[in-house]
Every structure is written in C-alpha cells, then in structure tokens.
Amino acid sequence: MKRTWTAAAVAAGVLLLAYLLATDPVWRQSAWLALVAGATGSVYAGIRLHRPPTRRPYVLLLGALVLLTAVNVIEFPAWHASDSVLTVATALELLAFPTMGLATLDLVRLQTPHGDREGVIDGTIVMVALATLLSGTVSAAALVEHTSILSYALLAVAPIVLAGVATAAMRLLLVGNQRLPATWLIAGAPLLALGGHVLRTLSQSAGTYARGGWEDLPIGLSYGLVGLAVLHPTMVALAGPAPTRPHRLTHGRVAILGLALLAAPATMVMTGRTVLPFIAAVVLSLLVLVRLWSLVIERETGRDEMRRQAAHDPLTGLPNRTSLLERLDDVLARRSSADPADAVLFLDLDGFKRVNDAWGHAAGDEFVLVCERIGQRGAVRLAERLIAVLSEPFALAGGPAQVGASIGLTLHTAGGAGAEALLAEADAAMYQAKQRGGYAYEIYGVTLGARLQRRRQLEADLVDALQTGGLRLEYQPVVALEPRGTVGFEALLRWDHPDLGAISPVEAVSAAEATGTVGALGAWVLREACGQLARWNASAPAHDPLTMFVNVSARELLDPRMPARVAGILADTGVAAAQVVLEVTEHAALDVTGTGLQTLGALRLQGLRIALDDFGTGYSSLTHLQQVPFDFIKIDTSFTTDLDVAVDNRAIVAAIVSMAGHLGAQVVGEGIETAAQLDALRELGCALGQGWLLGRPRPAGVIGGAQLSGRPRRERDAVAASPSAHPPLHRHG
C-alpha cells in the first residue's frame, strides 16, 4: 500500500513538472489533463481499496474531479473550442467547486463534536477574511479577453465559490478532531487552488499570465493532493467518528486568526476601496470579541471545575476532607451554649471487601456526616437508622450485594474540641465499633478518649523503639507430643514501654500498620529470630536443626518486595528456608488475595513453609484451606479448652486432624495447659503442641539444656519435611 501511494505521488510530481516545462500547447495540456485524470483515478482507487465507513464525502470528491476532468477535455487546444464551449467548461468548473466544498463540509460534520462553539467562530473569521481578500480580485476578471457576457459573469463568480471551498477546508483544520495525513492533504488542496486562482487573476490583470507559468503550480498541486489524500489509509479514520477534544488557542491557531485580521487593510491597499473593507473590519472585530469572550468563559469554567475537583471526591462527587473541615469549622463557629450538641458521625462500610473482590476496587467506603444542633438522642437515632438501611441487600450490575456499617459518633458543645479533633474522636469511636464486630455504633467518651491517646502514643513511640532497641523477643517451644521432644520455637514480640508498661503484640502490630512501619517491624522480628535460631543450631551440631515459627501480618504480605527481603535475611543469618515457618492468623488470611496470595506462593517456592494460626476463629476456614498453601494448621486455644470433657470440641479437633492429614498439613494444638488436654490431643492424632504445660515463652538467654536437646528424628522429620512434598501454590485451584 505504501508503494502504491508513493508511486502515485511521484507520478503526480512528474506530470506537474512536465506541464511546467512543456513548450508545445498540446503536450502541456495533455500533461495537465493526465494530472487531473490521475487524481480522479486515485480517488476512485482509494474508495475501492480502503472502503471507508462513510463513502459520501469521497464520492462527492470523485464527482468534483470527474467534472474538472471534463473541463480540461473541453479546453484541450486540439478541439479549437469556441467561446461558447469555453463558457460551458467554466460552468462545469463552477459546479465542481461547490461539490468539492460539500465533500469537505461533510468531513467537517463527521469530525466536529457537538457544541464546538470555538471552532465555528474561528472558521467564520477565516471565511470573512477570505471573502474580503477576494473582493479585491473579482473585478480583475473583467480584463480576461472573453466576448461572452455569461463567461465574464462566471469568471467573476469563480473566486468567490472557490473561497467557500477554502473556508470549508479551514474549518476542517480548525474544528476537526483528528490531525491525520489525509486531513492535511484534503484541507490543503482547496487552499492551494484558491491561491493559484488569485495569482492567475492578478497575472491576468497585469497582462502577464500564460499557461504553464508558475501561477498554475498551486492549482496543479491541489489536484495531486486530493488524489493522494483519498489513496492514503488514514482516509478511513477521517470518515469515521472522531474523538472529542477541546480546541484551545494554540500558537498556530492564533497565527491564522492574526493573519485573518489583516485581510481588511490588505484589501484596502490592493483596491483603494474603503466601504467593503470597513464593513469586513467591523465584522471581524465583533467575531474576535466573541472569541475572546468565549475564551474567558472557558477559562472561568475551567477554574470553577478545578475548584470543585479540589473540594470534592472524584468518585462520589461528595465534599472531601478539605471541604468537610471548612464546613465543620463554620458549624462550630455558629453555635452558642444554648444550642443542642452538634454531632459528627464517622461511617465505615463493613464487609466492603467482598464487594471489592466481586465487582472491583473503584469504590470508596468512608463517609462523615456533620449534624448541626441534633443532640445526642437525635444522633443516636440517625446512627441506628443508617445501620439498618445500609444492612439491607442492594442490587449491583453483577448481582445482589450486602454490606453493613460501623459508625463512630462524637458530640460537640460550646467550648469543645476543634474540627480536626472531632474527626479524630469520631474515627476512634468508629474503630471501636469495628472491634466489637461491626454493624454497630460507638459514642466517643472518656474511656475511649484514653484509648485513643494510648493508641497515638504507641504509634509515635514505635519508630523510636525500633531504632533504639526497645523491642525484644521471647520464644515458646513447639513440642512433638509422641514421643515428647522440642522441635522448634515460636518467636513472640515483646515491647516494654517506659510509660505504659508491657505492650501486647496485637497493639504493637496495630500501631505498626497505622504508621506504615509494619514491614520494618516484621523484618526486625524475622532477622532477630533467624539469628537466634542459627546460634542455637550451631551450639548443638549433634542434634537435628530446630525450626522457627514467626508471625507475619496480612499487611506485610501485600508488599511484593517481601520475598526478596526474606531471602536476604535468610542469606545474612545462614538459616535454611526449610527451618522457618511463617504464621498467618485465620482472620488475616481472609485478606490474603491477589498480591498477598502471590507473595505466599513466592515464599513457599523459596522453601519456607506457611502455618494457619488460630484455626477455627475465622469465617471461611475451609475456603482458605483450598486457596492458600498452608503446611501447618494451628488449632485455636478455644477448642483445646475443656477438650478432655467437651464432646463437641473433641469432634471438631478430630475433624481438623483428619482433614489436615488429607491435605498434607501438620496440626499443632495450641493452649495446652493440663495433662488431660495433652492426652486428649495425643489420642486424636495431633502430632505437635504448644502451651504453658509444655513450655512458657521465655527470653533466649534462659532457654537451654534439656529444652534444646532430645529431639527425636521421627518427629523432627515430620516438622522439617521438605516443602517440595507439598504443592507450591493452590492445592485445589
């Protein structure tokens, strides 16, 4: 296709050059006729070859070129055409020009978006300018030596008709939405033709025009451009729907409009007339004022939209946090001591993750309501109503969905906290409602305020604790139940806060997640635990290696860099991957999807093994056993309690042990505190156990002696089996 187009371009250039260089009139007119006929054939071939979605504009172009071919046949010197025959040729030429203009306007219609006021104004300015310029050249047609009055009239009208075609071409450039090769070629053709006719007219006025002169070069080029435009593959896109885009005042557009404003004074200089140029100048000035007014409106509209976007959420269109704080400040400034309390309700959707997993993540799930002078009773009724309404099922495109709401409520009276503090209080109350299981509301009070203050202090102090060594680990043994012997340890985080005392691992991890340091905390725990494991295994080379169980949070698994970080720690400490088990709680496993699941798979491919901790406390235990590659199942303490007397607990543990055996996973019984519980777990086939009866968590420095020896090979093999014995990814999917 490219070769065909190139060949056509070369042929058009050769014919035009032959026309300009030929001295014999017959040869000169033959080259011109071949040029026009070649352009006509190129248009026909382009339509047949590319099959545009809308053929009408190109068929009109073909018709115009057929008429122009007929004109050149009639004007062929060999026919010795009379003046009346030449008049017919001129009439056909005038018919061809509007046909070409209609074709161009049809392309403009296809390329113009609805409501493009700026493009229409720019096109009108150019049209008025061209008409003004042509008014100075129309009278020159009277100097053409034709005896026919009809021929004279037609020649006088020709430039005006051609000006309309050129205006349509300019509209295609100024209004259209696609700058393709076909666009430039089709728009450039009538502009060149107009320029050539003006040059011809001026030469005729001066008595210097002769066929084959340089004045004919633009007209010849215009014929070639039309044929090449339709032969080019981009003609298909030019005839189809165009993407909508704004038409800004670019440098090129400003230059075109600036030249258009010079049309009136240029015409005055050329013709010496004043009336028509003056009228044109007034019209052009008014159009420019309209264009400037449109530009001002456009900029103001853009500023308003930017301000609106800065103050509103892009998804819901609701006021965002910045706008919320401004409005809340206004509410607080207006209240008096006699007014009922204002209320701030912080609302978070419960169960929204299920909606995200099913229908995508393009959604938001936190909202704040500011209720002026509502009082506590009204605020409570509103919270209860919101929870009830939001708990009802609703329809989405993918099917029915259901969520709930947790609401934190705080009240404000005269002299109370400011806007930022109120939001923090409502947020803390909402968090407490979620801790209670969700689908509920919580009112901020003194006790909750103390918890909020504690939480803030922990978040602020955790970074210092990581940097200054304020954290430490204790280790609880994991023991083979039959025969009995230590096979490994679980590393447990300890934080002795200088002001608040002992901080639980749950609080420490929660603070780390809130401050974004959970990755650094997890890396520190793993490095400390692996370093201690390496020292223990090196101190007892005659015994089988111990295994280290380390807890990780779901937030850590969402970091795709975690596998590389873990591999680096193992390499630095010299610990084999098979000696490390990463524990994920069942509640955390509910969030392990997508990236988290890929991270687990990558860790397991490195040789590490995965344990599902607190099994039986989540909502989708069996589902996650199928989806997540777990090697160990740690039965929650709630099932171990009263195991020796509770029939239901025994049945559940027996089922877990049986199921784990079929899935190729090891079972660890947690919370063993009595000999009866230990015996019951042995009877049910549980191979491993943890609990105070078997060993309490202790610092590494006080662990040694018998607790690090006597590990039977059979049980050690059970806990340290090669992970290649288990599938590295999903077991059933």
Side-chain angles (χ1 to χ4, degrees), residues 584-602:
V584 182
T585 67
E586 189 174 12
H587 284 284
L590 293 173
D591 296 327
V592 177
T593 58
T595 301
L597 198 58
Q598 294 175 6
T599 302
L600 281 177

Side-chain angles (χ1 to χ4, degrees), residues 43 47 55-66 96 99-104 106:
V43 171
I47 296 173
R55 296 190 179 189
R56 183 175 57 239
Y58 297 118
V59 171
L60 288 172
L61 280 178
L62 179 62
L65 286 174
V66 169
T99 305
M100 188 174 295
L102 289 175
T104 309
D106 202 15

Side-chain angles (χ1 to χ4, degrees), residues 404-565:
S406 295
I407 298 178
L409 192 161
T410 187
L411 299 169
H412 178 271
T413 56
E420 286 278 8
L422 286 174
L423 282 183
E425 292 175 359
D427 186 13
M430 182 276 296
Y431 181 80
Q432 186 64 26
K434 277 194 171 294
Q435 291 292 96
R436 290 169 45 200
Y439 300 85
Y441 70 89
E442 181 78 25
I443 302 176
Y444 183 85
V446 177
T447 304
L448 189 56
R451 287 199 294 266
L452 175 60
Q453 184 177 0
R454 175 186 174 90
R455 177 178 160 195
R456 288 176 177 170
Q457 185 174 358
L458 290 177
E459 293 173 2
D461 295 344
L462 179 60
V463 177
D464 291 338
L466 271 170
Q467 295 175 348
T468 60
L471 304 175
R472 61 184 178 86
L473 296 181
E474 290 187 352
Y475 301 89
Q476 184 175 27
V478 177
V479 178
L481 301 186
E482 187 65 38
R484 190 161 162 181
T486 303
V487 295
F489 290 87
E490 179 180 356
L492 300 171
L493 178 64
R494 296 292 184 260
W495 182 9
D496 299 318
H497 195 280
D499 300 325
L500 304 177
I503 306 300
S504 71
V506 174
E507 275 192 297
V509 172
S510 177
E513 290 180 339
T515 56
T517 58
V518 68
L521 177 62
W524 180 87
V525 171
L526 182 61
R527 185 176 294 277
E528 289 291 314
C530 288
Q532 184 58 54
L533 179 64
R535 289 190 290 272
W536 277 336
N537 286 334
S539 66
H543 300 291
D544 295 323
L546 291 165
T547 298
M548 184 64 72
F549 290 73
V550 180
N551 293 277
V552 296
S553 71
R555 193 72 58 88
E556 287 182 83
L557 296 175
L558 296 179
D559 185 355
R561 298 169 297 179
M562 184 184 180
R565 187 163 58 238

Side-chain angles (χ1 to χ4, degrees), residues 121 134 266 491 494 544 696:
I121 295 173
L134 288 171
R494 296 292 184 260
D544 295 323
R696 297 194 177 204

